[in-house]
Amino acid sequence: MKKILTPILVVFALITAVSAQADDRKAKAENLVKAAIAHYQKVGEQQAYADFSKPNTEFFQGEFYLFVMKASDGSHVFHAVNPKLVGKNLTGLKDTNGDLFVKALWENAVANGSTWTSYQWVHPETKKIAPKVVYSEKAGDLVFSTGYYE
C-alpha cells in the first residue's frame, strides 16, 4: 500500500505546486495591470509610459511587461518591449492557431471591463512557440495588458 500511495502523493504535490505557481502568476499579472492603471492616473501618460519602459522595476519584470491600446480601435499607444508597435493596429494579427488574439483581448476587455486571453506565441528566450496568457483591463479610453508564458 505504501508503495502505491507514495507516487500518488508525489504527483499530487507536483500538480498542487504547478497550480499554485499559475495562480501566483495570474495574481501578479492582475496586480501589475491594476498598479499600472493607478500609476497612469496619478502621474499622467508621459511619466507613466517612461516608468513602464524601465526594465527590472515594478512595472517591467522579465516577461511581465505592459502594453496599452486605445479602447476605441485597438491600436497600440504603448509597448514596453517593442516601441515600433506604437500607432499600429494589430487586431488582424493571428497566432499560430489562426486565432485573432489581439482582437479578442481588446474586444473582450472593452465589453467586459477585463479579460484573460490565451494564445500561442514565440517565447522571447527559447524562440519556440509557447502558450501565453494575458490579462487586460479597460481604464477610461485605454486597455492595459500584461502576461506570461506557461
Side-chain angles (χ1 to χ4, degrees):
M1 178 78 150
K2 187 177 180 183
K3 288 182 180 181
I4 295 172
L5 191 57
T6 301
I8 292 171
L9 289 174
V10 169
V11 169
F12 177 75
L14 288 172
I15 291 170
T16 302
V18 168
S19 177
Q21 182 183 16
D23 289 345
D24 288 348
R25 296 173 97 193
K26 284 185 104 166
K28 184 174 183 175
E30 283 187 39
N31 291 335
L32 177 59
V33 166
K34 290 179 185 312
I37 291 168
H39 187 67
Y40 180 95
Q41 292 169 340
K42 180 180 178 184
V43 302
E45 178 181 294
Q46 188 174 9
Q47 184 62 53
Y49 291 164
D51 294 341
F52 298 166
S53 297
K54 297 174 189 167
N56 303 316
T57 63
E58 174 186 5
F59 300 110
F60 191 155
Q61 303 167 21
E63 66 183 333
F64 290 91
Y65 59 84
L66 291 157
F67 57 98
V68 183
M69 297 178 290
K70 289 182 186 177
S72 61
D73 67 4
S75 62
H76 280 71
V77 294
F78 173 79
H79 198 289
V81 174
N82 192 350
K84 292 179 184 177
L85 297 179
V86 172
K88 299 197 188 297
N89 185 314
L90 303 176
T91 56
L93 185 62
K94 296 179 181 180
D95 73 357
T96 57
N97 293 331
D99 296 328
L100 293 167
F101 67 96
V102 177
K103 182 178 182 180
L105 72 85
W106 163 64
E107 286 182 340
N108 289 328
V110 170
N112 303 313
S114 66
T115 192
W116 284 96
T117 307
S118 298
Y119 57 94
Q120 300 292 312
W121 202 246
V122 177
H123 192 291
E125 293 173 0
T126 66
K127 307 298 184 215
K128 294 180 180 178
I129 301 296
K132 186 164 184 176
V133 179
V134 171
Y135 177 72
S136 303
E137 188 170 319
K138 182 179 180 289
D141 61 349
L142 299 173
V143 174
F144 291 74
S145 302
T146 193
Y148 57 90
Y149 289 89
E150 291 186 312

